[in-house]
Amino acid sequence: MNRFIYKRYVQNFEINLLNCKLLGRGNNGVVYLLPEGKIIKICFEPESCEKEYAILKRVNGNRYFPRVYGMNGNYMIRDYVDGIILKDYIKEHGLDRDLSIKIIDLLREFKRLRFSKIDLRCKDIIVQPNGNLMVIDPKKFYSKQRHFPRHLSKGLYKLGVLDYFMSVVRDVSPKLYNQWHRDIKDYIQEKKEELD
């Protein structure tokens, strides 16, 4: 952990948000870019901050997650993640085999990290300028049970690339394909019926 970052922003809270760039506002909080290139995420609920921080702290140093430096009350300091959210990336560039394999590898890493929730939304995956993937806003990875990528599948379906993604899963990992394809097919069918 960087002691300077911790002391300045967590211990002493030497932050004037008027001097920070607002990066975004979501359901859980507001995110600002700090002068050193880190971010402060201010959560609306302290419990939400604690849960997200606990996940990031547990996986600190993993290549798929931003490094955290500390938290206090309803805010945390973590690395800034540059890039474009997966949904927007696919809209602009499409989904190719290489990106599909990176998504599969990310989900395999979830299993390796012993997450009980093997799922996330397209908006929580950032495609970085170098092509690597990074997860932001991790939620309930250790507390919610989900054995297949339900939200991810829904997002890929809406983008019109789910069938292609699943063909790559079948090719690269028949075992994962066999574990997921029936649940994904049933879930997407259920969503279609809700829209009718």
Side-chain angles (χ1 to χ4, degrees), residues 62-76:
N62 185 285
R63 69 186 180 115
Y64 290 111
F65 295 87
R67 182 173 293 280
V68 287
Y69 297 93
M71 73 156 282
N72 192 354
N74 70 328
Y75 73 91
M76 74 178 81

Side-chain angles (χ1 to χ4, degrees), residues 13-185:
F13 197 74
E14 295 175 9
I15 303 170
N16 181 348
L17 294 177
L18 295 174
N19 296 331
C20 299
K21 179 181 178 186
L22 175 66
L23 295 177
R25 178 186 173 108
N27 293 331
N28 292 328
V30 183
V31 178
Y32 291 91
L33 182 63
L34 298 170
E36 284 83 7
K38 309 300 180 203
I39 64 114
I40 179 171
K41 180 171 184 178
I42 304 168
C43 298
F44 301 132
E45 299 291 331
E47 183 181 359
S48 173
C49 188
E50 290 168 15
K51 288 178 178 179
E52 182 175 333
Y53 180 77
I55 292 169
L56 290 174
K57 184 73 174 163
R58 192 164 173 181
V59 300
N60 220 14
N62 185 285
R63 69 186 180 115
Y64 290 111
F65 295 87
R67 182 173 293 280
V68 287
Y69 297 93
M71 73 156 282
N72 192 354
N74 70 328
Y75 73 91
M76 74 178 81
I77 308 297
R78 69 163 173 79
D79 279 340
Y80 170 67
V81 178
D82 188 23
I84 182 170
I85 62 170
L86 181 64
K87 178 179 81 170
D88 293 341
Y89 185 91
I90 291 172
K91 283 180 182 176
E92 189 175 329
H93 303 283
L95 178 69
D96 61 14
R97 182 177 175 83
D98 182 54
L99 181 55
S100 296
I101 290 171
K102 287 177 181 179
I103 295 168
I104 295 164
D105 288 344
L106 171 64
L107 294 168
R108 285 178 171 155
E109 183 69 3
F110 281 21
K111 286 182 172 244
R112 193 191 71 74
L113 292 168
R114 300 188 187 281
F115 289 171
S116 57
K117 178 184 160 195
I118 310 300
D119 191 15
L120 74 169
R121 298 175 193 274
C122 289
K123 69 181 182 73
D124 294 333
I125 302 173
I126 299 291
V127 181
Q128 297 181 288
N130 63 7
N132 291 337
L133 302 182
M134 186 73 76
V135 176
I136 58 169
D137 279 345
K139 293 178 197 78
K140 301 180 181 176
F141 288 154
Y142 289 109
S143 61
K144 189 168 193 169
Q145 294 290 326
R146 182 159 303 134
H147 64 279
F148 73 101
R150 186 176 89 171
H151 286 302
L152 179 66
S153 299
K154 180 179 171 185
L156 295 177
Y157 175 76
K158 286 181 175 180
L159 292 164
V161 296
L162 179 60
D163 288 341
Y164 177 75
F165 175 73
M166 289 305 292
S167 73
V168 177
V169 174
R170 184 178 55 233
D171 185 42
V172 170
S173 180
K175 182 178 177 184
L176 274 183
Y177 179 83
N178 289 333
Q179 289 172 2
W180 293 346
H181 94 281
R182 173 56 56 196
D183 290 320
I184 289 173
K185 185 177 177 184

